[in-house]
Amino acid sequence: MTELENYLHHYFSIGLHDGKKLAGLFQEEKLAKGDFFLKSQQQSNRLSFIQHGLLRLFVTLPDKEVTQWIANSGTFVTDLSGFLFRNPSRWNIQALSEVTLYTISHEQYLNIGQLIPKWNEFEKLFIGKCFVSLENRMFNQISLSAEERYQILFEEQRELFHQVPLQYLASMLGMTPETLSRIRNKKTS
């Protein structure tokens, strides 16, 4: 069983046979550090599973860049609004390292239901998990202190603190780089 098949099996509770069929629709793709997976205002035509590497989702505003998320190995990445609803992408998605992806095109994604009869159930689960993740992040942003948000990210994704520039993590956590440094120094002393 490939890593993608294993992930599909566990994440979606999809059977091994259907997982193998679904994984067969994905093609391997590589990005070099600095390459863009997607730029804002482009059409989001692919959904990818990150086998290895880091991608930063961000938007450039007139006075700053805002990092929405750092996607890492074992997760899916796309501009979901663009991919599902065909809106122009809001996000830039750029490789922070060399990245290996397994990618499915929008066209192939639309045909999964013909290949896997129970796809509607699996897709609801996928979209539901995306929504719950977003709800949790939003709740944390509005209800937790900067220190508490730092602690959660540090506990859940400690490796990011060694692989990602701190200004990106600070932006993702909704704080200034100086605040992140102060919290980090306090935690390590």
Side-chain angles (χ1 to χ4, degrees):
M1 180 184 309
T2 68
E3 186 176 352
L4 178 59
E5 289 171 29
N6 188 44
Y7 186 83
L8 293 170
H9 173 67
H10 291 290
Y11 189 83
F12 293 108
S13 301
I14 192 169
L16 297 176
H17 180 69
D18 285 341
K20 190 171 193 68
K21 285 195 284 188
L22 181 56
L25 298 175
F26 287 76
Q27 301 298 314
E28 186 176 295
E29 177 182 4
K30 294 192 181 279
L31 297 175
K33 182 178 180 177
D35 285 353
F36 280 85
F37 174 82
L38 181 67
K39 291 186 177 182
S40 67
Q41 300 307 309
Q42 289 180 338
Q43 190 66 61
S44 180
N45 289 319
R46 60 192 193 208
L47 170 70
S48 295
F49 174 79
I50 304 171
Q51 193 269 325
H52 173 77
L54 298 168
L55 293 166
R56 179 171 79 117
L57 289 76
F58 69 98
V59 64
T60 303
L61 302 175
D63 59 336
K64 63 182 175 179
E65 281 186 356
V66 176
T67 300
Q68 188 256 3
W69 192 246
I70 305 294
N72 57 357
S73 302
T75 61
F76 282 96
V77 67
T78 192
D79 179 293
L80 200 56
S81 174
F83 188 75
L84 293 178
F85 302 110
R86 312 313 294 148
N87 298 321
S89 172
R90 173 184 301 160
W91 305 107
N92 294 293
I93 303 176
Q94 186 177 28
L96 293 178
S97 64
E98 289 186 4
V99 180
T100 302
L101 305 163
Y102 294 107
T103 299
I104 187 169
S105 71
H106 182 261
E107 184 179 314
Q108 288 176 309
Y109 182 86
L110 292 177
N111 293 320
I112 294 174
Q114 295 170 4
L115 185 65
I116 301 171
K118 292 177 70 176
W119 175 245
N120 285 342
E121 293 174 38
F122 300 132
E123 185 180 43
K124 280 182 194 175
L125 180 62
F126 173 64
I127 302 300
K129 286 184 178 188
C130 291
F131 188 75
V132 168
S133 177
L134 179 61
E135 273 186 334
N136 289 338
R137 288 191 57 219
M138 204 166 23
F139 177 79
N140 289 349
Q141 279 301 109
I142 62 175
S143 66
L144 300 179
S145 69
E147 212 167 297
E148 289 168 322
R149 292 192 309 271
Y150 168 90
Q151 192 62 40
I152 288 171
L153 183 64
F154 187 77
E155 288 171 6
E156 291 178 354
Q157 297 187 45
R158 183 177 307 232
E159 70 281 358
L160 292 183
F161 289 85
H162 302 290
Q163 300 171 325
V164 176
L166 290 182
Q167 72 264 22
Y168 298 159
L169 295 176
S171 177
M172 187 173 85
L173 289 167
M175 61 183 76
T176 65
E178 294 79 18
T179 299
L180 178 61
S181 289
R182 181 182 49 76
I183 292 170
R184 197 166 173 219
N185 290 336
K186 184 178 173 183
K187 295 287 185 182
T188 58
S189 58

